[in-house]
Amino acid sequence: MAAPEERESQVAAWLKKIFGDHPIPQYEVNPRTTEILYHLSERNRVRDRDICLVIEDLKQKANEYESEAKHLQDFLMESVNFSPAALSNTGSRFLNALVDSAIALETKDTSLASFIPTVNDLTSDLFHTKSKSEEINLELGKLGKNLTATLVLEKCLREDLKKAELHLSAERTKVNSRLENMDFLKAKAAEFRFGIKAAQEQLLARGMDMSLSHRSLVALSEKLMELKQQTLPLKKKLESYLDLMPNPSLAQVKIEEAKRELDAIEAELTKKVDMMEL
C-alpha cells in the first residue's frame, strides 16, 4: 500500500496529466479526497494500460495484414499476372478501401461472409462499450456528488467541532468560577463555625445561663402556651362559680382558692415572660 505522501504526489501528477496546460481546479487536500482521487487515478492508469495493449495488438495485426497483403499481391502477380497498378483510379480506391476495411475489422479475408459477422460483432461491442461508458460516467457523477457531500459534511463537522470547543471552554470557565466560589463559601462557613464556637466559649466564660439560649427560650415559649391552655378550664370554672348564688361563705372560700391558683399561674407566666425578654 502506498504511503500518504506517495499517494498525494501520484494524484498531483495524474491531475497535471489530465488537465495539461489548463489550471487544476482548487480542492481541499485531506485523506478522504486524496483516497478518492488516488483510486480514480489507479483506474485511469489501468484503463490507459489496457488501451496501450490494444493499440500494440492492433499495430501487430496491421503488420501481419500488410505482410499477408503483400504475399497475396505477389501471389496474384505470379498466378494471373495481375497488378494493382493496372486498375483504374476508381478500382484502386475501391481496392484500398476494401483492404483498409479488412485490416480495421481484423477479418481473415475480404469476402462478404467475413465482413458481415465482423460488423455484427463490432456493432454489439459498440453498444456494450456505450453502455459501459454510461455506467462509468454515472459512477463518476455519483463519486463527484459524494465527494462534494463529503467535503460539505467535513466543513460542517469542523464548524461543529469549533463550536463545541468554544462551548467547552466557556463551560470550563464556569466550572472553575463555581469551584472558586465553593472554596470561598467553604472558607466562610469554617470561619463562621469558628466564630460561633468562640462566641459560645466567651459567653460560657462570662457565666451565661444556658437556659437563656435560643433553644431554651423556644422550649419556654412552648411551655408558656401549654400553661395558657391549661388556665382556660380554670377560668371557665371560675366564671361558673361567679354565676352561681351559693352559700356566701363557702363561695367566698372557693373564689379565694381559685384566685390564689390563678394568681400563682399568672405569676409563673409573668416570671417566664420576664426571663424570655432578658
Side-chain angles (χ1 to χ4, degrees), residues 184-197:
F184 174 77
L185 292 175
K186 287 182 179 179
K188 279 294 183 183
E191 182 181 348
F192 288 150
R193 284 196 297 269
F194 180 77
I196 292 172
K197 185 176 180 181

Side-chain angles (χ1 to χ4, degrees), residues 45-168:
R45 183 179 62 82
V46 173
R47 186 182 63 178
D48 290 345
R49 183 191 61 190
D50 294 340
I51 291 174
C52 289
L53 292 176
V54 172
I55 292 173
E56 291 297 327
D57 183 63
L58 291 177
K59 286 181 179 180
Q60 183 178 357
K61 289 183 178 180
N63 293 330
E64 293 176 357
Y65 285 129
E66 288 178 358
S67 299
E68 183 69 20
K70 189 175 184 303
H71 173 71
L72 291 175
Q73 184 178 356
D74 294 340
F75 176 76
L76 288 174
M77 287 293 294
E78 293 176 359
S79 59
V80 296
N81 196 20
F82 174 79
S83 175
L87 293 173
S88 63
N89 292 334
T90 304
S92 296
R93 289 198 301 271
F94 286 160
L95 180 60
N96 291 331
L98 185 63
V99 172
D100 292 339
S101 299
I103 293 173
L105 296 176
E106 301 179 357
T107 59
K108 64 180 180 179
D109 53 38
T110 58
S111 64
L112 188 61
S114 298
F115 274 109
I116 291 177
T118 304
V119 170
N120 290 336
D121 292 340
L122 288 176
T123 303
S124 177
D125 292 341
L126 177 61
F127 283 113
H128 178 73
T129 303
K130 285 184 177 180
S131 176
K132 193 66 176 179
S133 177
E134 291 177 356
E135 291 179 2
I136 293 175
N137 290 332
L138 182 62
E139 185 177 355
L140 288 175
K142 291 180 179 179
L143 287 174
K145 292 181 180 179
N146 291 337
L147 177 61
T148 303
T150 302
L151 294 175
V152 172
L153 178 61
E154 181 182 5
K155 183 178 180 181
C156 293
L157 289 175
R158 289 181 182 275
E159 292 178 355
D160 293 340
L161 178 60
K162 186 177 180 180
K163 292 179 181 178
E165 289 177 349
L166 293 176
H167 179 71
L168 180 61

Side-chain angles (χ1 to χ4, degrees), residues 9 41 61 67 122 140 167 171 200 214 236:
S9 61
S41 67
K61 289 183 178 180
S67 299
L122 288 176
L140 288 175
H167 179 71
E171 290 297 324
Q200 289 177 348
H214 177 73
K236 291 181 179 180

Side-chain angles (χ1 to χ4, degrees), residues 210-226 272 275-276:
M210 294 305 296
S211 62
L212 299 178
S213 63
H214 177 73
R215 184 178 300 177
S216 300
L217 293 176
V218 171
L220 290 173
S221 176
E222 293 176 354
K223 189 174 182 180
L224 176 61
M225 295 299 296
E226 184 181 352
K272 298 295 184 181
M275 290 178 66
M276 290 178 64

Side-chain angles (χ1 to χ4, degrees), residues 168-263:
L168 180 61
S169 178
E171 290 297 324
R172 188 180 292 111
T173 302
K174 291 181 180 179
V175 170
N176 292 335
S177 177
R178 290 174 181 174
L179 289 175
E180 291 177 358
N181 292 336
M182 186 180 297
D183 294 338
F184 174 77
L185 292 175
K186 287 182 179 179
K188 279 294 183 183
E191 182 181 348
F192 288 150
R193 284 196 297 269
F194 180 77
I196 292 172
K197 185 176 180 181
Q200 289 177 348
E201 292 177 353
Q202 187 177 4
L203 290 174
L204 290 174
R206 294 180 179 179
M208 175 186 174
D209 188 1
M210 294 305 296
S211 62
L212 299 178
S213 63
H214 177 73
R215 184 178 300 177
S216 300
L217 293 176
V218 171
L220 290 173
S221 176
E222 293 176 354
K223 189 174 182 180
L224 176 61
M225 295 299 296
E226 184 181 352
L227 292 174
K228 286 183 177 181
Q229 293 296 328
Q230 292 177 2
T231 57
L232 291 177
L234 295 176
K235 287 184 177 181
K236 291 181 179 180
K237 184 177 180 182
L238 179 60
E239 290 175 356
S240 65
Y241 283 125
L242 293 175
D243 292 337
L244 296 175
M245 295 297 295
N247 188 345
S249 59
L250 182 59
Q252 187 65 32
V253 172
K254 293 293 185 180
I255 291 173
E256 292 297 329
E257 290 179 356
K259 283 184 177 182
R260 285 195 297 271
E261 186 177 354
L262 182 60
D263 290 339

